[in-house]
Amino acid sequence: MKAIVYTSNSGFTKAYAQMLGEKAGLPVYTLPQAKEKLQNGDDILYMGWMFAGSVKDYQKAAKLYSVKALLPVGMAPDGQNSMDELRQREKLAPDTPIFYLQGGYAPEKLHGIYKLMMSMMARVTTKQMKAKENKTPEDEAAIKMFHDGCDFVSADNLNPVLSWLSSAQ
């Protein structure tokens, strides 16, 4: 593996990329930095934030490098459940590992269209969840997340990736 390449919006993917780089002994680059530091076709791990069911800038990275594993970062605790759909949407090879990582939500770090979209989604989702008579603990956690923000980044979440990396080398 040559490097970890990532795209981050509010810092959660960046935090994971830096932690993983340190633990795996790999250099870490943003996608623009990678274009200056890496050769086309180099083997990389790609990390990007989930946006509308896709991984931000994955297609750009896949055109330049050989992506050996995809690490999407999202808000949901159960994002792993939709990885089959993601594999199809991103046209990943069946043997390319996907390691979903729960990141967080930081509305104060969002800008432009992303801030607008997320504030609308948060408002609608929170209203729907508050209207439910029998709220689940997951509903309560989502309401709190949209109201207060949250950060679920943890080095422990990288253990499956590190295990895969050690067996792949």
Side-chain angles (χ1 to χ4, degrees), residues 111-169:
H111 302 284
I113 190 71
Y114 301 120
K115 184 176 189 107
L116 177 65
M117 291 171 69
M118 284 305 298
S119 85
M120 288 189 316
M121 186 186 91
R123 202 172 18 248
V124 169
T125 303
T126 301
K127 184 177 180 180
Q128 289 172 343
M129 289 181 180
K130 284 183 175 180
K132 290 172 90 176
E133 280 193 35
N134 298 315
K135 292 177 199 60
T136 66
E138 291 81 12
D139 294 336
E140 295 290 352
I143 292 167
K144 182 174 175 26
M145 176 184 68
F146 282 125
H147 184 267
D148 300 334
C150 58
D151 183 347
F152 297 106
V153 174
S154 167
D156 289 344
N157 295 341
L158 294 171
N159 288 340
V161 183
L162 292 166
S163 177
W164 173 80
L165 270 173
S166 67
S167 68
Q169 295 176 353

Side-chain angles (χ1 to χ4, degrees), residues 19-37:
M19 274 193 267
L20 183 58
E22 186 176 306
K23 290 181 174 292
L26 292 169
V28 176
Y29 305 117
T30 64
L31 188 55
Q33 290 170 334
K35 291 176 184 178
E36 297 174 11
K37 304 278 186 180

Side-chain angles (χ1 to χ4, degrees), residues 88-107:
Q88 290 176 342
R89 189 174 296 112
E90 299 290 12
K91 298 177 178 78
L92 285 172
D95 60 340
T96 302
I98 302 174
F99 299 97
Y100 177 82
L101 300 166
Q102 186 179 17
Y105 178 57

